[in-house]
Amino acid sequence: MKYRTPIAWGRRAKMALLAFLTLPACGQDKPANTSSYDRLLQTLYRNTVPVVQPAQLAASLTQKPGSVLLLDTRTAAEYRVSHLRGAQFVDFDSYEKNTFANLPHDRPVVVYCSVGYRSERVGERLKALGFQDVRNLYGGIFQWVNESRPVYNEAGLTTDIHPYSALWSTWLNKGRKVYK
């Protein structure tokens, strides 16, 4: 008899879960300067959208405020808890139908989500629609917060961060985890 799980698991999600479950056992084999989180991201990313490191993005936002269009591709609940300053919300659940006609195609765009998987899908869509300079925030908002970078909500600066789920919250090392 074949058992079915209540969730339809995609190939990459299965690989990520396998990587997550086997990471503690493979610490001895880890390449120099590669964290468990980096290894997880390597299993998740398709490398179809170039990444930007959080430090690079932070420098760009400081040197030329408003020069980069930030798109938060998480759920509305995640966005309400916190987001990068100035980020626009793009609902991941409906991005495939979105034409993004209201956004300039020639402006640099950085997409992000919790870890970078969902945002990479949105980045692929933007590139297919003709956006010229699309980047995915490496490690997502988790990496941003883990590097002690600021996040905001409607009240201003906050330490709150939505960890997406209990499973994914393992990768969030800083901030106050808030499920709303």
Side-chain angles (χ1 to χ4, degrees), residues 16-124:
L17 181 59
L18 179 61
F20 175 76
L21 294 174
T22 61
L23 284 174
C26 63
Q28 310 85 304
D29 301 316
K30 107 177 177 180
N33 299 323
T34 302
S35 71
S36 299
Y37 191 54
D38 289 323
R39 288 194 305 275
L40 172 70
L41 297 178
Q42 288 171 8
T43 66
L44 291 175
Y45 290 1
R46 295 180 187 171
N47 298 311
T48 53
V49 177
V51 297
V52 59
Q53 294 293 327
Q56 290 174 290
L57 178 58
S60 292
L61 296 173
T62 299
Q63 293 168 0
K64 295 182 182 178
S67 64
V68 176
L69 178 61
L70 296 172
L71 300 179
D72 186 313
T73 65
R74 299 174 300 151
T75 65
E78 291 172 281
Y79 179 84
R80 279 190 301 274
V81 170
S82 63
H83 49 270
L84 275 62
R85 176 182 258 163
Q88 293 182 32
F89 172 67
V90 173
D91 191 350
F92 180 76
D93 292 332
S94 61
Y95 82 92
E96 292 174 305
K97 299 173 195 156
N98 195 331
T99 62
F100 300 97
N102 60 328
L103 302 178
H105 285 52
D106 59 347
R107 187 170 169 199
V109 177
V110 173
V111 291
Y112 71 90
C113 63
S114 296
V115 299
Y117 176 80
R118 293 177 285 176
S119 52
E120 188 178 46
R121 302 294 78 73
V122 175
E124 290 168 353

Side-chain angles (χ1 to χ4, degrees), residues 7 9 13 73-75 77-79 81 92-93 113-115 117-118 141-142 161-172 177-180:
I7 299 171
W9 288 80
T73 65
R74 299 174 300 151
T75 65
E78 291 172 281
Y79 179 84
V81 170
F92 180 76
D93 292 332
C113 63
S114 296
V115 299
Y117 176 80
R118 293 177 285 176
I141 198 169
F142 285 10
I161 186 78
H162 195 298
Y164 184 71
S165 72
L167 176 68
W168 290 101
S169 72
T170 303
W171 305 106
L172 185 59
K177 298 173 185 176
V178 175
Y179 296 90
K180 286 187 183 178

